[in-house]
Amino acid sequence: MKRILRMILALAMLLALAGTSLAETDSSTLTYASGDYTRINPAMDEHGEINILIFNGLTAHDGDNQVVPCLAKSWEYDAATYTYTFHLEEGVKWHDGEAFTAEDVKFTIEAIMDPENGSENAPNYEDVAEITVIDDLTVAFRLTAPNAAFLDYMTMAILPKHLLEGEDMQSAAFFRNPVGTGPYKLESWDEGQAIILARNEDYFKGAPNIERIIFKIVPDDNAQAMQMKTGELDLALLTPKDAENFASDESYTVYRMETSDYRGILFNFWNPYWTENRDIIPAICCAIDRQAIVDAVILGHGIVAYGPLQRNEYNYEDVEHYDYDPDRARAILEEAGCTLNANGFYERDGQEIGFVISVGAGDQVRVDIAQAAAQMLRQVGINCSVEIPEKVDWGGQMAYLIGWGSPFDADDHTYKVFGTDKGANYSGYSNALVDQYLIEARESDDPAVRAEAYANFQIELANDPAYAFICYIDADYVATSRLKGIDPDTILGHHGVGIFWNVAEWTLEG
C-alpha cells in the first residue's frame, strides 16, 4: 500500500513539473518582472511602465521617439490663436464596451490641471486656457502661449469620464481596476504578486499577438536575475552585473539599450541645511569621481553625467562639467570659510559639513552609487553617509539619490523638475533665471531660439546646481530568445520606460 502511495505521489510530482514546464514555454503568455504598484493612475503619476499597455493618448511616440497619431488620427494648429484641433479615431471602445469620445479627453486633461487633484503632470498643461468639445470626435485646445512640447504631452493616457466623473482622482477604486482603450485590459490583480493583462480583441489598431502579459511583482534585483535563470520570467530589466551573466547563453537575448535616464544627488532646499550651505554644492560636484562610478558600479554601461539634457538635441556641451578634482573641491570649501576639524572633516561656524543621502529601497544600483559617492565625499572632508528609509520624506530629508530622464522634447523633465513650484520639483529648487530660460524655450518653435534658451538654462543650472549629476545608465533588458519584436534602438526614459511602445507587434515563439 505504501509503495502504491509513493508511486501516486511521484506521478503527481511529475505531472506538476510537466505543467510548470508547459507554463514556462507558453507562447501565449509573457511574464515580465515588474516593480510593485499601489495603483495605476497615469493622470496623477508620471511613471508606470504598465500605462501604455492599458491606455492610449491622443498622440504616441514611435521607435524614434517622434510624435505620431494614436487616438487622434489628425490635428491642425492655428498659430494666431495657439489652438490645436484634434480629430479622433472612429469606433474606439473602452474595455467595458462604452464609446470613447472627445468628452473623455476634456475630462482627463481638466482633471490633471485641477490643482485640487495634485497631479505631478499639471505643469505640462498649465498654458491650456480652454478645452472645447466640438463634437464627439473633435476637441480643441486653446493655449495662452505657444508650447513646443504640447503634442508630446498629448501622449498622456486618456481616462473614461463615465467611470471617473465625480470620483476622487487620487483614491478612486478605478485605479485598482482600470479601464482603458489600450491593447491590453486588466484581467486580475493579486496585490503584491502579479497584475495579469489580457489581449484586447477589439483594439482599434488590431489585436496584439501575445494573448496575456503578466506583470509579476519582483521588486528585488537579485530575485529578478534568479527568476530569469529558472524560466519564471520572460523579460526583466536587470543590473549590468546580472545582465552580463546571460550574455553567452543562447536561450536569452540581452538588449543593452541607451537611455536618457540619469542619476544624481538631489539637494533638498526645503531643508535649512542647504539654505546655509548652498555655496558648497559645487565642491560636492567636484569631489565625485563619476567615471570611477560608471566603471565600477554600472560596469561601463552608461556615461558620466554633467546635466539633464545630454541625450537630447538641445544639450549644451560647453557647460561647466564639474570634472573630478578633489583639490578644487577642498579649495571651494576653504574659500567658503570652512576649516578641517580634528576628525578630518570640514566645519564652518562650529558646524561640521556633512549630510545624508537617502536612497529608495530595492534599487541596488542606486544604493551602490550613493555609497560610492559618499565615500568620495568623505575623502575630501565632507562627512556624508547613506540611509535607506522605509518611506521617502521629500520635505524633510537632506538629499536623495534621484533619477530622471526623458527622451522626448527637452521641455519634458526640465520645466516641471527645475521650474519653481512645479509638479515634479521634489527638491524645492528655485532660480528665477532658470525659470525664465525654460519659459523662453517652451514658447518658441524656432530651433535656434530654443537652442539658445536651453544653453542659457544649462549654464545657469551649473552655476547654481540643483543636483550633483553622476551618470546616465543604459537599460539592460534580458529576454527569453523566444521573444521577438523588441526595438533595440529606441532610446528609453527614466526607469528604462519605453520598451513596450510596440508591444502589440511582439511575438513569443514555440
Side-chain angles (χ1 to χ4, degrees), residues 30-34 37 48-55 61-63 183-184 197 203 210 212-216 234-237 257 477 483 485-487 490 492 495-506:
L30 170 71
T31 304
Y32 170 67
S34 174
Y37 285 83
E49 187 76 87
I50 202 168
N51 295 344
I52 198 171
L53 284 78
I54 298 174
F55 299 99
H61 288 113
D62 64 12
Y184 287 88
L197 306 179
Y203 186 47
I210 297 174
R212 296 163 79 239
I213 297 182
I214 300 174
F215 273 60
K216 185 177 182 183
D234 298 307
L235 176 66
L237 175 60
M257 301 178 72
Y477 276 98
L483 179 60
I486 292 175
D487 183 346
T490 298
L492 304 181
H495 293 315
V497 168
I499 195 170
F500 286 106
W501 76 269
N502 67 335
V503 66
E505 301 168 17
W506 293 4

Side-chain angles (χ1 to χ4, degrees), residues 403-462:
W404 279 122
S406 166
F408 311 125
D409 190 277
D411 188 83
D412 193 27
H413 282 198
T414 56
Y415 187 84
K416 67 183 175 185
V417 171
F418 300 106
T420 301
D421 295 329
K422 301 307 178 187
N425 184 342
Y426 296 117
S427 65
Y429 179 79
S430 180
N431 180 307
L433 283 175
V434 163
D435 294 342
Q436 175 188 325
Y437 297 138
L438 288 174
I439 291 170
E440 288 176 4
R442 166 178 275 211
E443 294 186 354
S444 176
D445 59 3
D446 184 331
V449 172
R450 300 194 84 200
E452 181 178 359
Y454 280 122
N456 289 332
F457 153 69
Q458 290 166 86
I459 291 168
E460 184 57 27
L461 189 66

Side-chain angles (χ1 to χ4, degrees), residues 71-82:
L71 288 173
K73 60 185 178 181
S74 64
W75 54 82
E76 300 100 32
Y77 177 61
D78 182 348
T81 61
Y82 315 134

Side-chain angles (χ1 to χ4, degrees), residues 327-347:
D327 290 336
R328 183 185 175 194
R330 295 185 186 97
I332 292 171
L333 290 166
E334 290 167 8
E335 288 168 8
C338 302
T339 57
L340 282 173
N341 62 23
N343 297 323
F345 296 115
Y346 282 97
E347 63 179 36

Side-chain angles (χ1 to χ4, degrees), residues 282 285-286 288 290 304-307 310 315-324 328 458 462 468-470:
C285 296
C286 291
I288 300 172
R290 291 165 287 166
V304 164
Y306 54 80
Q310 285 171 243
N315 183 53
Y316 184 59
E317 172 66 28
D318 295 331
V319 74
E320 167 68 74
H321 286 199
Y322 290 112
D323 294 326
Y324 176 56
R328 183 185 175 194
Q458 290 166 86
F469 293 97
I470 296 176

